[in-house]
């Protein structure tokens, strides 16, 4: 039987795969309403069409004043200012203030001409009709948000490649940018092979099992910002697999093939992928558990991921290799911080040195802390992953982890 | 001016709010194709309609055998077995094995009658035509996944209230459950008030600013599993605000009001919320920065969140109070682990004791570690949040954090 003679460490395998892809990546873009662009990646630099705020605004409720007219003011020796009126919200401040004059203003209101500071309302008292007492001096610029203090007109506010979170959507709206060019979601074709597989809505006959992988992978791909372009179920038959792969290669940005892990199926998958073009199969076999028989390939510019057929391996491997691939195809930042939950391991876990192990764990709260309990189960059991909250990684240098060890859990 | 005399700590404010809501929550449900139900919350218990796997399967490529016929086998003294044929993938294993017989089988293939173990192919050799040599003994059950080992028929596999991740979608498909009852997404009405606000697609006049909050909040609510049912922009006018709130109360599950933070607007918001019904405004003023003037209310069973008008406060407060509310309304688990990025603070941060501070930070990589650099900016600046990767929380007991302190960054 063919053995995997050259098992690459996962990091090296990933690097080999990504560097074999055509670079720089050519992006296809589409224009969307900004309100519909959450989680999409910008396809253009956004510069501010105008300053934000467009005019100086008060940051407090109070009185717009000449700061110099308040110098030395204290509760025992207040400054007396003539009240000239009120700046109405949403309207231009049409009055102009002279020294020793004040105008009532609300938070967000437009600073009138002449004023260079705002006295907070709690530092004032109404004196005679038409006059206020200022009990505390303000400096020039105090309690004012200057025009352009958030963003200057013409400033680059969001670079191409930025993924749009809720605050970016808000920021674009603040600038009146109501539509944006975003990068199209990479099209990912999923092909599941196996003579034993049937579609979940079909009647099960003895010896058959329902396809799991194409559905859990499709959900994962959607979550990662990809678009599932096809979801095919094929028997282990080169006559059917080869043309299906060719068509996916012509139409998709990424191909994911899940195959049975039997020798014959594995060979068939690797051979048909290799026949798609240069450079072909780059990695076949990785120093990882689960997922050793993984195939990483590139065929005339199309990345191909060949996954083991069993659901746990397929899902874990896809979760490791698809995020950086899709990030590359979308042109986003590669080194993004990964949020984890720190937890304490409930049992000893053994591991082979030289191999990277990923162990599904369930998290249980203990006071303020979390306990990570490995969810054991063969890699054929999809419900192993249903019972798990996340994965812990045992690095290649380790020969295991001890009970009580602090581990970082990557939530699914 | 009205002061907030009773500032509640955030935890206590949240508890006061949630416990005032009608409990147990009544859930409305809808039926969806399982493939479309990613991130939705189950509205029914799912029990397995059949065992998984439905028949015993081989976990390796090899030969199905009677384990007893291999006892004592070694490379120097192999057991000789008669080859009876092959179990084809996806087909019923129709042959029945007697002792001293073997059948070729592939990973995932159905174990034939009589066999109780599988010898791995690498532990065998082809001998004469129609015979194999077994070089290593196997125990009964070895290399077999028993029927029902993943899930037994009738077993509760997913309880109502479970949020569906990619692996749950896969697990449901494995059982042939191609449609599920899920809880409807809570309808959230967003009402932005302010005489100065205009819609982002309108022409800006002096004194006006574009509405930011309803868009960043809508994006956040979508991400949290809510459905934005309305997005209204109203002037500070009780005649318009009151009927709009009444209608939202009748039709929505949650109301979010963002108001200018000027005294008059704040009063107007609190008064109109109070007029919606009992128990009314539960919390007005929280020991938190930013976001002190937050309003938490419940009116005849409808939760109402009154947010400060400035975008940073509104977004941070919504990010603290909406997730547990929506989780309650969807019936999901309340104590879910929060993934964070551990980082080292680049500067000292001061904070008032007794107040909970949330500080936006930007993460920068330094070798394997992350540095958290506060993004300073007034809470009026939406681009403060655009520049930030997440928030750090300074607990009420602390009077600040020192440069170099380890902090936990909650990514946005």
């Amino acid at each position: 039987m063919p053995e995997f003679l050259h098992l690459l460490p996962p990091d090296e395998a990933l690097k080999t795969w990504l560097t074999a892809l055509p670079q720089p990546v050519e992006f296809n873009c589409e224009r969307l309403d900004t309100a519909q662009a959450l989680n999409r990646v910008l396809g253009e630099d956004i510069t501010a069409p105008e300053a934000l705020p467009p005019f100086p605004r008060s940051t407090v409720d109070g009185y717009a004043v000449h700061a110099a007219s308040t110098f030395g003011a204290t509760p025992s020796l207040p400054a007396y200012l003539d009240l000239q009126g009120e700046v109405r919200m949403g309207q231009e401040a049409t009055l102009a203030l002279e020294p020793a004059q004040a105008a009532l203003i609300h938070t967000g209101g437009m600073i009138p001409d002449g004023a260079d500071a705002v006295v907070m309302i709690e530092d004032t008292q109404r004196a005679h009709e038409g006059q206020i007492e200022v009990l505390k001096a303000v400096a020039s610029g105090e309690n004012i948000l200057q025009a352009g203090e958030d963003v200057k007109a013409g400033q680059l506010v969001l670079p191409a490649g930025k993924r749009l979170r809720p605050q970016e959507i808000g920021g674009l709206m603040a600038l009146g940018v109501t539509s944006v060019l975003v990068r199209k979601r990479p099209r990912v074709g999923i092909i599941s092979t196996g003579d034993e597989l049937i579609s979940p809505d079909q009647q099960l006959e003895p010896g058959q099992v329902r396809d799991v992988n194409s559905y859990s992978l499709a959900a994962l791909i959607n979550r990662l910002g990809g678009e599932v372009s096809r979801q095919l179920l094929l028997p282990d038959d080169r006559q059917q697999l080869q043309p299906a792969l060719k068509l996916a290669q012509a139409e998709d940005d990424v191909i994911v093939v899940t195959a049975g892990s039997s020798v014959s199926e594995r060979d068939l998958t690797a051979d048909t992928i290799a026949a798609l073009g240069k450079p072909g199969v780059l990695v076949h076999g990785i120093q990882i558990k689960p997922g050793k028989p993984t195939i990483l390939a590139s065929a005339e510019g199309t990345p191909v991921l060949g996954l083991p057929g069993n659901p746990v391996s397929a899902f874990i491997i896809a979760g490791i290799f698809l995020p950086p691939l899709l990030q590359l195809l979308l042109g986003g930042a590669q080194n993004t911080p990964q949020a984890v939950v720190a937890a304490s391991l409930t049992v000893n876990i053994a591991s082979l040195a030289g191999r990277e192990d990923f162990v599904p764990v369930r998290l249980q709260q203990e006071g303020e802390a979390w306990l990570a309990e490995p969810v054991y189960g063969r890699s054929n059991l999809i419900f192993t992953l249903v019972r798990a909250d996340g994965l812990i990684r045992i690095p290649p240098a380790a020969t295991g982890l001890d009970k009580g060890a602090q581990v970082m859990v990557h939530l699914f």
Side-chain angles (χ1 to χ4, degrees), chain A residues 222-302:
Chain A
N222 279 321
R223 189 186 262 188
L224 293 174
E227 180 190 345
V228 177
S229 54
R230 76 193 69 226
Q231 225 174 306
L232 292 179
L233 197 54
L234 294 177
D236 293 310
D237 173 3
R238 185 188 302 265
Q239 302 305 320
Q240 294 188 52
L241 184 54
Q242 196 76 64
L245 278 170
K246 271 277 174 208
L247 185 64
Q249 183 183 28
E251 298 183 350
D252 296 336
D253 300 307
V254 179
I255 306 174
V256 177
V257 188
T258 69
S261 45
S262 75
V263 180
S264 55
E265 292 172 40
R266 221 149 49 194
D267 291 352
L268 176 64
T269 308
D271 289 355
T272 44
I273 291 174
L276 288 176
K278 299 280 173 201
V281 173
L282 299 160
V283 175
H284 191 180
I286 299 181
Q287 281 280 23
I288 198 168
K289 183 188 172 187
K292 186 169 91 165
T294 298
I295 296 169
L296 303 176
S298 173
E300 309 298 339
T302 303

Side-chain angles (χ1 to χ4, degrees), chain A residues 25-292:
Chain A
V25 176
E26 274 178 42
F27 304 112
N28 295 314
C29 293
E30 58 188 325
R31 185 159 287 277
L32 285 188
D33 284 351
T34 302
Q36 305 303 320
L38 183 65
N39 296 333
R40 300 297 295 267
V41 173
L42 267 183
E44 57 179 347
D45 287 342
I46 303 287
T47 54
E50 60 196 38
L52 195 68
F55 49 85
R57 304 178 74 188
S58 178
T59 62
V60 297
D61 296 326
Y63 293 94
V65 297
H66 283 249
S69 304
T70 69
F71 289 170
T74 64
S76 54
L77 197 68
Y80 288 84
L81 303 181
D82 290 330
L83 188 55
Q84 293 297 303
E86 176 181 355
V87 179
R88 312 289 302 192
M89 292 302 289
Q91 293 181 14
E92 187 164 7
T94 46
L95 42 76
L97 290 187
E98 302 290 328
Q101 293 185 339
L104 182 62
I105 193 166
H106 310 284
T107 305
M110 184 172 179
I111 302 293
D113 277 350
D116 67 347
V118 178
V119 185
M120 290 174 77
I121 201 154
E122 46 267 58
D123 296 327
T124 65
Q125 278 179 32
R126 287 280 181 144
H128 313 285
E129 186 62 31
Q131 220 180 28
I132 60 163
E133 294 177 4
V134 174
L135 312 178
K136 194 177 164 195
V138 283
S140 178
E142 198 166 334
N143 298 324
I144 291 181
L145 190 65
Q146 300 296 346
E149 191 169 333
D150 197 347
V151 166
K152 292 187 178 27
Q155 182 182 335
L156 174 69
V157 287
L158 296 172
K162 177 89 178 170
R163 192 178 289 268
L164 301 176
R165 300 168 298 171
Q167 56 263 58
E168 276 82 29
I169 303 291
L172 288 165
M173 290 303 195
L175 290 167
V177 179
T178 55
S179 83
V180 283
L181 207 63
V182 297
R183 292 180 180 157
K184 284 191 177 168
R185 297 190 292 153
R187 291 168 54 91
V188 184
I190 302 175
I191 300 177
S192 291
T193 72
D195 288 335
E196 75 281 20
L197 296 180
I198 63 161
S199 169
D201 55 4
Q202 282 185 292
Q203 183 61 38
L204 207 59
E205 301 294 337
Q208 298 182 328
V209 292
R210 297 193 183 85
D211 178 30
V212 171
N213 287 331
S214 71
Y215 297 93
S216 52
L217 292 173
L220 178 70
I221 288 161
N222 279 321
R223 189 186 262 188
L224 293 174
E227 180 190 345
V228 177
S229 54
R230 76 193 69 226
Q231 225 174 306
L232 292 179
L233 197 54
L234 294 177
D236 293 310
D237 173 3
R238 185 188 302 265
Q239 302 305 320
Q240 294 188 52
L241 184 54
Q242 196 76 64
L245 278 170
K246 271 277 174 208
L247 185 64
Q249 183 183 28
E251 298 183 350
D252 296 336
D253 300 307
V254 179
I255 306 174
V256 177
V257 188
T258 69
S261 45
S262 75
V263 180
S264 55
E265 292 172 40
R266 221 149 49 194
D267 291 352
L268 176 64
T269 308
D271 289 355
T272 44
I273 291 174
L276 288 176
K278 299 280 173 201
V281 173
L282 299 160
V283 175
H284 191 180
I286 299 181
Q287 281 280 23
I288 198 168
K289 183 188 172 187
K292 186 169 91 165

Side-chain angles (χ1 to χ4, degrees), chain A residues 228-412:
Chain A
V228 177
S229 54
R230 76 193 69 226
Q231 225 174 306
L232 292 179
L233 197 54
L234 294 177
D236 293 310
D237 173 3
R238 185 188 302 265
Q239 302 305 320
Q240 294 188 52
L241 184 54
Q242 196 76 64
L245 278 170
K246 271 277 174 208
L247 185 64
Q249 183 183 28
E251 298 183 350
D252 296 336
D253 300 307
V254 179
I255 306 174
V256 177
V257 188
T258 69
S261 45
S262 75
V263 180
S264 55
E265 292 172 40
R266 221 149 49 194
D267 291 352
L268 176 64
T269 308
D271 289 355
T272 44
I273 291 174
L276 288 176
K278 299 280 173 201
V281 173
L282 299 160
V283 175
H284 191 180
I286 299 181
Q287 281 280 23
I288 198 168
K289 183 188 172 187
K292 186 169 91 165
T294 298
I295 296 169
L296 303 176
S298 173
E300 309 298 339
T302 303
V304 186
L305 175 60
L307 294 171
N310 83 63
V312 175
S313 305
F315 189 73
I316 290 178
I317 292 293
I320 293 169
F321 290 98
L322 286 182
L325 175 70
L326 290 180
Q327 215 154 18
L328 178 75
L329 295 180
L330 280 163
Q334 282 289 331
N335 285 323
T336 49
Q338 298 293 312
V340 293
V341 175
S344 170
L345 200 58
T346 57
V347 293
N348 295 330
I349 302 182
S351 164
L352 284 184
R355 188 181 68 191
E356 203 159 308
D357 282 14
F358 288 85
V359 179
V361 295
R362 187 210 307 249
L363 286 166
Q364 291 169 293
Q365 203 161 17
E366 194 188 51
E368 294 281 286
W370 291 95
L371 299 177
E373 182 191 13
V375 179
Y376 285 114
R378 312 196 199 201
S379 60
N380 319 53
L381 307 183
I382 178 71
F383 281 90
T384 300
L385 291 181
V386 166
R387 283 184 287 270
D389 294 303
L391 292 175
I392 59 174
R393 171 182 169 273
I394 306 178
T399 54
L401 292 171
D402 292 336
K403 177 179 172 174
Q406 275 289 303
V407 290
M408 298 299 154
V409 180
H410 298 259
L411 298 182
F412 285 122

